[in-house]
Amino acid sequence: MHSILGRNHPTFALPWRTLLPYLVALHLLHLGSAQLRVVAPSLHVTAIVGQDVVLRCHLSPCKDAWSWDIRWIQHRSSGFVHHYQNGVDLEQMAEYKGRTELLRDGLSDGNLDLRITAVRSSDSGSYSCTVEDGDNYAEAVVNLEVSDPFSQIVHPWKVALAVVITLLVGSFAVIIVFLYRKQVLPAPSPPKSL
């Protein structure tokens, strides 16, 4: 019966013996890649122009990120919004200078949160939070939507329309007053001859 199933047959055992090391290596690679992840608890963040906003990300599992290379990158320009490494803030885009802060209090707990102060409409878009430490690399994406309530209320075409309507109403008022005065006041009498 054993020979029918092929268990003792040399050609049946050979593929499993050669495949086993590859399967073990593949499993270990999968475990290694799953060790580090960056998680964004909120994938979509909203803010109003002028407010401060915090883009949140954290390492999973929790690890001390104090000495890691942490980059917040704006997708639209592929530029660094904030770059931190080993306790030092490095280069960043000019439009974010003085407006960003990596919240260092949470780094030892694996938090990679970035504060942007006085947000602008141009700050809207997608941001990647990337971390790197030796062979470990991971990233997550957060979308920021900045709204400007004043730009939604006052559009340039509305202002132009209001000016035109005001001028028309003012012109009609002047014409009506002119015509009314012409009818109410008596016509000037012709000069008397001597």
Side-chain angles (χ1 to χ4, degrees), residues 168-187:
L168 287 174
V169 169
S171 299
F172 284 126
V174 168
I175 292 171
I176 290 172
V177 167
F178 175 76
L179 292 174
Y180 176 75
R181 289 183 127 204
K182 194 167 186 169
Q183 289 178 351
V184 171
L185 293 176

Side-chain angles (χ1 to χ4, degrees), residues 36-41 54-61 63-72 82 84 101-115 128-132 138-140 142:
L36 180 68
R37 286 186 8 215
V38 175
V39 178
V54 176
L55 305 180
R56 299 193 183 281
C57 281
H58 65 270
L59 294 174
S60 176
K63 292 186 178 190
D64 184 349
W66 188 262
S67 63
W68 289 37
D69 187 341
I70 303 167
R71 302 171 192 209
W72 280 89
H82 198 97
Y84 165 94
E101 175 190 8
L102 189 70
L103 302 180
R104 297 181 185 199
D105 293 343
L107 286 175
S108 58
D109 296 325
N111 294 321
L112 313 168
D113 302 341
L114 179 76
R115 175 184 291 130
S128 284
C129 173
T130 68
V131 293
E132 192 172 353
E139 70 177 286
V142 178

Side-chain angles (χ1 to χ4, degrees), residues 79-112:
F80 291 140
V81 174
H82 198 97
H83 185 189
Y84 165 94
Q85 187 176 29
N86 291 321
V88 178
D89 293 320
L90 302 172
E91 76 272 9
Q92 67 183 150
M93 295 167 52
E95 64 188 88
Y96 289 97
K97 281 202 184 297
R99 295 196 308 123
T100 64
E101 175 190 8
L102 189 70
L103 302 180
R104 297 181 185 199
D105 293 343
L107 286 175
S108 58
D109 296 325
N111 294 321
L112 313 168

Side-chain angles (χ1 to χ4, degrees), residues 20-78:
L20 186 59
Y22 295 112
L23 292 173
V24 170
L26 183 63
H27 180 69
L28 290 175
L29 284 174
H30 177 70
L31 288 177
S33 64
Q35 287 180 354
L36 180 68
R37 286 186 8 215
V38 175
V39 178
S42 181
L43 300 177
H44 191 77
V45 178
T46 58
I48 296 175
V49 168
Q51 286 183 334
D52 294 355
V53 68
V54 176
L55 305 180
R56 299 193 183 281
C57 281
H58 65 270
L59 294 174
S60 176
C62 176
K63 292 186 178 190
D64 184 349
W66 188 262
S67 63
W68 289 37
D69 187 341
I70 303 167
R71 302 171 192 209
W72 280 89
I73 301 167
Q74 183 190 58
H75 282 203
R76 184 176 62 243
S77 64
S78 298

Side-chain angles (χ1 to χ4, degrees), residues 115-131:
R115 175 184 291 130
I116 303 174
T117 58
V119 293
R120 306 169 181 167
S121 296
S122 60
D123 294 338
S124 289
S126 296
Y127 294 80
S128 284
C129 173
T130 68
V131 293

Side-chain angles (χ1 to χ4, degrees), residues 157-174:
W157 67 268
K158 289 181 181 179
V159 172
L161 182 62
V163 168
V164 169
I165 290 173
T166 303
L167 289 174
L168 287 174
V169 169
S171 299
F172 284 126
V174 168

